């Protein structure tokens, strides 16, 4: 039996942080050998908020190197740049025309991001989840590993696929495969170092709120030293009054590879002065091999170029077949 297909993407905006690593990439690395995988850099999504053309290409490229450095294995995974496969834009248009506007207006992420932008909300921001649906549906993905924040977009993708199938499919032969989300329970949400109730995010104006995958050891030490804590001695998980404590213990758990029970026992009598250096060292050691590998890959750009070239070709060969299937179902005149 052939392997199930996994697909996921990450926006190529800003620098990747521990939330991206623990909530997304580490998850993919862990499961990749059980599946046939497609992982891509969502540079079309990256311009749904104001962007700087001078850094877009470099962000996308660096991200590809980080994926490889984190352990994405090209024997079972294809990595590519979203904008290199034009079927993503084209299927988005077709899906747009069957997606009710009020489905998009309901999206939490749209409402949150739109609020931040005031008058300047582009149509692309509203359409973001439709592009995401196209990303997923083009590859007949069975499973889509994402963080919890993307769950609603996955539901929408399923609804759009269902609608295309209902409207245009013949009962026994659905046109699009309806994918399942794959949400990791632990570490699914890494919170800000400055506020344990807010998600760690690339767009937070304060760099102290996040640890980036490429942060050097001294920066990691400084950020953890300055991170928000509370005046209580003894560290515990799951206390709603202590969101920072829960977040930092969870980070330690994930980065050290220990179980929750082990960490709870180890830290129950600790104060912050003892815990913070421990977390800093654990973070530095967890990121060290990734940073070393990243350096090697960036020293060999021919290799990275060829990986992305091959990835785009492989992705396009799958995506174009799905696109042709959808166009056929919608009644388009084939190219003559
Ligand atoms: P983004 O940085 O918003 O493009 O997200 C890329 C991927 O990382 C998605 O799968 C997100 O769900 C995941 N992600 C982003 N921030 C976090 C976070 N703070 N905690 C866990 N996962 C996250
Ligand atoms: N919207 C996703 C995020 O911010 C990134 C993304 C774009 C994605 N297209 C995707 C994730 C397709 C999974 C599948 O995290």
């Amino acid at each position: 039996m052939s392997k199930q297909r996994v697909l996921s993407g990450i926006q190529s905006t800003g620098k990747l942080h521990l939330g991206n690593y623990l909530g997304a990439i580490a998850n993919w690395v862990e499961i990749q050998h059980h599946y046939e995988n497609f992982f891509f850099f969502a540079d079309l999504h990256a311009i749904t908020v104001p962007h700087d053309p001078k850094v877009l290409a470099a962000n996308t490229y660096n991200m590809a190197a980080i994926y490889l450095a984190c352990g994405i294995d090209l024997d079972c995974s294809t990595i590519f740049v979203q904008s290199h496969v034009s079927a993503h834009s084209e299927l988005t248009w077709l899906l747009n025309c069957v997606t009710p506007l009020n489905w998009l207006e309901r999206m939490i992420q749209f409402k949150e991001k739109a609020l931040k932008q005031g008058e300047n909300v582009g149509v692309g921001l509203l359409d973001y989840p439709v592009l995401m649906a196209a990303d997923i549906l083009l590859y007949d993905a069975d499973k889509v590993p994402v963080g919890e924040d993307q769950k609603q977009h996955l539901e929408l993708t399923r609804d759009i696929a269902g609608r295309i199938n209902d409207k245009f499919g013949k009962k026994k032969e659905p046109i699009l495969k309806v994918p399942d989300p794959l949400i990791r329970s632990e570490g699914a949400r890494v919170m800000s170092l400055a506020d344990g109730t807010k998600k760690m995010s690339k767009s937070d104006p304060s760099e102290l709120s996040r640890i980036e995958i490429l942060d050097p050891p001294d920066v990691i030490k400084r950020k953890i030293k300055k991170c928000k804590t509370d005046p209580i001695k003894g560290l515990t998980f799951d206390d709603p009054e202590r969101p920072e404590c829960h977040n930092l213990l969870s980070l330690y758990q994930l980065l050290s590879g220990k179980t929750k029970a082990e960490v709870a026992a180890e830290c129950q009598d600790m104060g912050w002065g003892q815990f913070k250096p421990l977390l800093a060292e654990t973070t530095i050691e967890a990121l060290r091999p990734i940073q070393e590998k990243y350096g090697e890959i960036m020293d060999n750009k021919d290799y990275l170029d060829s990986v992305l070239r091959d990835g785009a070709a492989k992705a396009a060969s799958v995506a174009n077949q799905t696109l042709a299937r959808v166009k056929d179902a919608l009644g388009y005149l084939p190219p003559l």
Side-chain angles (χ1 to χ4, degrees), residues 10-11 17 19-20 23-24 146-147 149 188-190 199-200 202:
I10 198 160
Q11 261 186 98
H17 51 69
N20 298 129
V146 283
D149 59 330
R189 247 169 111 79
V190 176
K199 215 180 71 157
M200 184 178 284
K202 292 176 201 155

Side-chain angles (χ1 to χ4, degrees), residues 7-11 40 42 45 82 109 128 132 135-136 144-146 149-150 153-154:
L7 172 129
S8 196
I10 198 160
Q11 261 186 98
F40 67 93
H45 281 105
Q82 187 186 31
Q109 195 177 78
Y128 178 117
M132 183 161 160
D135 296 337
I136 297 167
V144 183
V146 283
D149 59 330
Q150 297 298 312
H153 291 162
L154 254 294

Side-chain angles (χ1 to χ4, degrees), residues 25-45:
I25 308 175
N27 193 9
W28 307 344
V29 168
E30 199 179 301
I31 63 171
Q32 64 182 335
H33 292 109
H34 302 291
Y35 299 98
E36 179 196 11
N37 312 277
F38 288 86
F39 299 123
F40 67 93
F41 315 105
D43 57 348
L44 298 172
H45 281 105

